[in-house]
Amino acid sequence: MLFSEVYSAYFNAVAAVITEALTGNLAIKDLGRIINDKAFSESMLTIPPALIGGEWLVMDKSLQTPIKRKPQMPLTILQKRWLKTLTQDPRLALFGVDLSELEGLEPLFKPEDFVFFDRYADGDPYTDTAYIGHFRAVLTALNEKRRIQIAYRNRYNRLINGIYVPYRLEYSSKDDKFRLETAGGKHAAYINLQRITSCEVLEAYAESDLLPPKRRESVVTFLLTDERNALNRVMLHFSDCRKETIRLEGNRYQVRLWFEAQDETEILIRVIFFGPMLKVIAPDDFITKVKNRLAMQRAIMDQAEED
């Protein structure tokens, strides 16, 4: 909202039209092309009449503009303060973004203004020098399409060393961790960046080596009661998953959700988050895991009350 309301699609569309008009080569067909590209399809009903009809006083019927310089859209102080807020996120430093021009500005929000109640507390060490180096090496390998040699410790603390074709870098907001997905294997191989002990960017790989990894999918089916806008919230919350939704009677829906098998714990937590508005009906092992996790949480709460 801070950005789109100040410089919305209409501002960008009109700025592009004026820029083209300054060259002296603007035609009606160019006007339509620019508006379709920069704004919305229905914008053709409002922007051209306002421009050509003289309502906005930036263009006449001959498509000439009295403006002498190319339009510029500098950021407002409010927008800069929002960007300054982002610079306080330690994850931003991983990408080497230069925001030195924001020095001296007061951030719009501070880190202590945010409380995360659905995130693990053992996230990646974003300020660790070694971690930053490993992250940037992985990012370089991805951007430059090069192989990467990585030594890391698996979940059993066993040291693994191999050469990989990087496919995708993923971030889990629940775990607050990054992981690298590699290509070329029989199944998708994931490496948590926090577990990397050393890595080195190697030579470029051939396009034929970048084979999308095969993923092992699981599916969970649950009944959804659309109370307190639950349907929209569930669709948004699981926007990263493939879904099949069937409307039943009244405000009830049946939803099938596909996810990667190794992400089951995260999906389990996300399902429980909706409480009584979601009821898992399949598969049986997922139902059992929901019950066990709820029982564990209840035991923790009971223990806390006793203490």
Side-chain angles (χ1 to χ4, degrees), residues 36-178:
N36 281 326
D37 182 49
K38 299 291 185 179
F40 312 101
S41 57
E42 63 270 20
S43 301
M44 284 297 296
L45 301 175
T46 56
I47 295 180
L51 287 174
I52 300 174
E55 179 183 349
W56 290 347
L57 303 178
V58 295
M59 188 167 292
D60 57 28
K61 294 181 180 180
S62 63
L63 302 184
Q64 299 296 312
T65 177
I67 297 175
K68 302 301 182 182
R69 297 181 180 179
K70 179 180 176 181
Q72 296 183 357
M73 298 184 182
L75 296 179
T76 65
I77 295 298
L78 183 64
Q79 291 171 331
K80 290 182 178 180
R81 289 185 61 195
W82 169 253
L83 291 175
K84 182 65 174 182
T85 299
L86 298 183
T87 64
Q88 298 180 100
D89 187 333
R91 291 170 297 185
L92 190 64
L94 299 174
F95 298 90
V97 180
D98 181 17
L99 294 174
S100 56
E101 63 183 67
L102 300 177
E103 291 294 333
L105 281 173
E106 180 72 18
L108 200 59
F109 303 103
K110 297 181 179 179
E112 54 266 28
D113 294 330
F114 298 90
V115 177
F116 297 96
F117 59 87
D118 58 349
R119 173 185 290 182
Y120 286 108
D122 61 341
D124 283 356
Y126 300 120
T127 58
D128 181 76
T129 303
Y131 180 92
I132 294 174
H134 298 157
F135 186 96
R136 292 185 178 176
V138 168
L139 205 59
T140 297
L142 281 165
N143 292 333
E144 298 180 4
K145 301 184 184 300
R146 297 163 66 181
R147 297 180 187 275
I148 187 168
Q149 183 169 0
I150 297 177
Y152 69 99
R153 294 196 175 276
N154 63 12
R155 67 180 65 183
Y156 306 108
N157 202 35
R158 183 183 305 163
L159 187 62
I160 308 294
N161 195 324
I163 297 176
Y164 303 92
V165 174
Y167 181 72
R168 181 170 59 185
L169 190 61
E170 295 182 347
Y171 172 74
S172 169
S173 60
K174 298 293 181 183
D175 295 330
D176 192 25
K177 297 178 185 293
F178 281 95

